[in-house]
Amino acid sequence: MTTTPEQPPTAAMRRRTLLASAFVGGAALFTASCSREDGPGRIGRTPRPTAGTEGTGSGEATFTLTVLGTTDLHSYVLNWDYFKDAEFSDDDGNHIGLAKAATLIKAMRAERGAATTLTIDAGDTIQGSPVGFYYARIEPIVGTGTVHPLAATMNAVGYDAVALGNHEFNYGVDHLNAFIEQVEFPVLCANALEWQTTTSAYPEYVIKEVETPEGVLKVGIVGLVTPGCAIWDKANVENKLSFNGIVEQAKITIPKVKAEGADVVIVSCHSGSNQGSSYGDALPFPENASTELAEQVDGIDAILVGHAHAEIPEQKIANLTTGKEVLLSEPYFWGRRVSVMNLGLAKQDGAWGVVSSSASLLNANTAEPDADVVAAFNDAHGKVRGYINSAIGTSTAAMPLAAARYSDTAAIDLINYVQAHSVQKALAATDVAGWPVLSIAAAFIREGGLPAGELTVRNAASLYTFDNTLNAVKFTGANVKEYLEFSAAYFKQVDATEVAADDLTNADGPDGRPIPDYNYDIMGGLDAPLTYDIDVAKPVGQRIANLAYDGQPLADDANFVLAVNNYRAGGGGNFPGLDGEVVFNEQKEIRQFIIEWVAEQKTIDPALFHTVDWRIVSNGRVVSVTA
Ligand code: MN
Ligand code: MG
């Protein structure tokens, strides 16, 4: 399920495993693409009944409305990995990008009838891939007249409505607003409010009219976003936008949509269905609220879920007041899937009601890329590939990751330096400014690392191949000790002063399987060294010796800020002590921090960040490890 044996599963992937829900998509029913004759929401022909409708309510459906959904595209249009400069691939055989999703969308419209099919997206559109970065920072769309390739391509698909995701605010409100100017569909977000008011800053909803044999059906589409924007993008939204809770806002917006005559209400909700918040109590509203939305707000028929990057073909949640089932579906992320939601409708006493509903996912790996989308994206693809392969700096030395799992290397020190430095800079004006910063990193890929000489974006990215974002939490001296002991379980018990790497590393973990390289974390200090020995002759839990910070033995109650990736912070690898207060979480990729730092430095010299602070010992004697 991962790209390489070394790749850690992301939090989303772990969630997906836990869900283990019936994946009923898989097969694309069609391969031919068709052009769309009818515009969104126009009066069209009567569809024939569809096989996908299952009875869940009372009465027979006389009409089926189809709602197609994508989410979390993150500026992926083609099935392309920019950092590898090659076709995207992973061990699950997934394909990514809007171009393939568009083929599935167009084929489904042809099958169901374009006039009775709505296409929506649940946000996180303009950030994530190098395409998003390029059009925000290298050739910004603001003030240049450059059309954002996601505007061009989503216009080519013909969306009926798109909701804002939290990442839409990453490059500032001006950038987002320039994108909105360029699209031909409404961009919805009911709960982004003008600063400290109750006025929505973006359209709350749109009503689409669909013709049926029994007259016009009015479909309300509402956009909502996780209120986490208020902290993750504080620097961009403060004094501009406030964020209401999802349930709190829906209780205001849904009645308006109903009052305007909506017979059916769909929410495009950039907020996961698994409850909880990565930001704890820092906001009065939860991060992931799609389940509460279904349970607590009356009048919603279906929710297209986003943000969690989870794969949910179909989920039904009963409203706590009405008992009515709300249909949820989440099409994974980066265009890997398209949700197909079927709402079976019938008129009872003159009023439309949903009498049956079902959903499934289509898999992008069954589709060819849509020619219109590819044509609208070609220029951008070439430009971004050129950028990724362009020189951004020079390195005075090669910094390979090959030996990073058993020795203190410049490659890992660079990652830890950039992480700790970025966190320290961001916390300068907070109440933890001045706290000593530590950082953890692991060697993901033994073949990765920086060459000596010219560095391209791609070289810089090879140090950190995954999409983890940077977090920081409060941490104590006792946490440091416990964490390092946990990490040191990666080593086999060895009583010798010479050992081959394979006889030392990847010891069996508690599950009986070898601990992967990505679960061996190396910790380092920023302003002063964190020094320690790992005594592999000792049993697990008793291996860390001579632990010191700035040359002084580490006190259990010493206070630190720990820079950590979101995978660890979210429980990946089950490392201890990470439940302290979150003090930094901008939802920005560590890889991107490294790329920007290299570009800023111009010349990378290990003298700035590399010191040998930890070593492998056996009964106190230094161990020499051979590759
Ligand atoms: Mn996302
Ligand atoms: Mg998101």
Side-chain angles (χ1 to χ4, degrees), residues 94-246:
N94 285 306
H95 289 186
I96 60 170
L98 177 62
K100 290 194 169 209
T103 298
L104 300 172
I105 289 167
K106 289 182 174 182
M108 213 60 198
R109 281 180 190 149
E111 170 71 11
R112 300 289 176 89
T116 60
T117 303
L118 298 175
T119 306
I120 63 177
D121 179 275
D124 274 4
T125 304
I126 56 175
Q127 178 276 349
S129 83
V131 173
F133 179 78
Y134 184 91
Y135 286 93
R137 294 276 193 260
I138 308 297
E139 188 185 337
I141 62 168
V142 174
T144 60
T146 299
V147 175
H148 198 294
L150 267 289
T153 52
M154 290 179 96
N155 286 340
V157 174
Y159 277 85
D160 292 287
V162 169
L164 293 183
N166 56 294
H167 283 289
E168 262 63 86
F169 301 98
N170 286 173
Y171 298 125
V173 171
D174 290 347
H175 179 70
L176 170 58
N177 291 347
F179 170 77
I180 291 173
E181 291 275 297
Q182 296 174 347
V183 299
E184 293 159 1
F185 43 79
V187 176
L188 308 174
C189 190
N191 62 324
L193 308 175
E194 285 169 18
W195 182 248
Q196 291 177 346
T197 71
T198 54
T199 309
S200 298
Y202 297 92
E204 291 168 80
Y205 62 90
V206 64
I207 293 185
K208 307 296 278 190
E209 298 194 347
V210 177
E211 188 176 293
T212 80
E214 296 159 90
V216 169
L217 175 78
K218 287 178 140 190
V219 183
I221 305 169
V222 178
L224 290 164
V225 71
T226 175
C229 304
I231 41 179
W232 300 323
D233 273 306
K234 188 174 177 195
N236 291 327
V237 301
E238 200 168 29
N239 297 311
K240 293 176 182 148
L241 298 170
S242 302
F243 291 85
N244 198 7
I246 282 174

Side-chain angles (χ1 to χ4, degrees), residues 72 74 124 167 270 307 309:
D72 295 272
H74 284 286
D124 274 4
H167 283 289
H270 193 84
H307 183 59
H309 293 203

Side-chain angles (χ1 to χ4, degrees), residues 14-80:
R14 283 181 289 113
R15 268 195 297 277
R16 184 186 162 209
T17 310
L18 289 175
L19 276 168
S21 49
F23 173 56
V24 294
L29 303 172
F30 325 95
T31 48
S33 67
C34 69
S35 63
R36 193 175 190 197
E37 307 292 348
D38 299 306
R42 275 186 219 147
I43 307 294
R45 69 177 171 85
T46 305
R48 56 188 177 77
T50 57
T53 306
E54 293 152 25
T56 56
S58 57
E60 278 289 294
T62 56
F63 177 79
T64 298
L65 175 72
T66 306
V67 181
L68 305 177
T70 54
T71 192
D72 295 272
L73 291 172
H74 284 286
S75 288
Y76 281 98
V77 176
L78 299 183
N79 187 53
W80 192 258

Side-chain angles (χ1 to χ4, degrees), residues 66 94 105 185 293 305 412 415 421 478 490 526 588:
T66 306
N94 285 306
I105 289 167
F185 43 79
L293 177 65
V305 178
I412 294 290
I415 298 169
H421 177 75
Y490 169 74
L526 178 64
K588 177 170 156 181

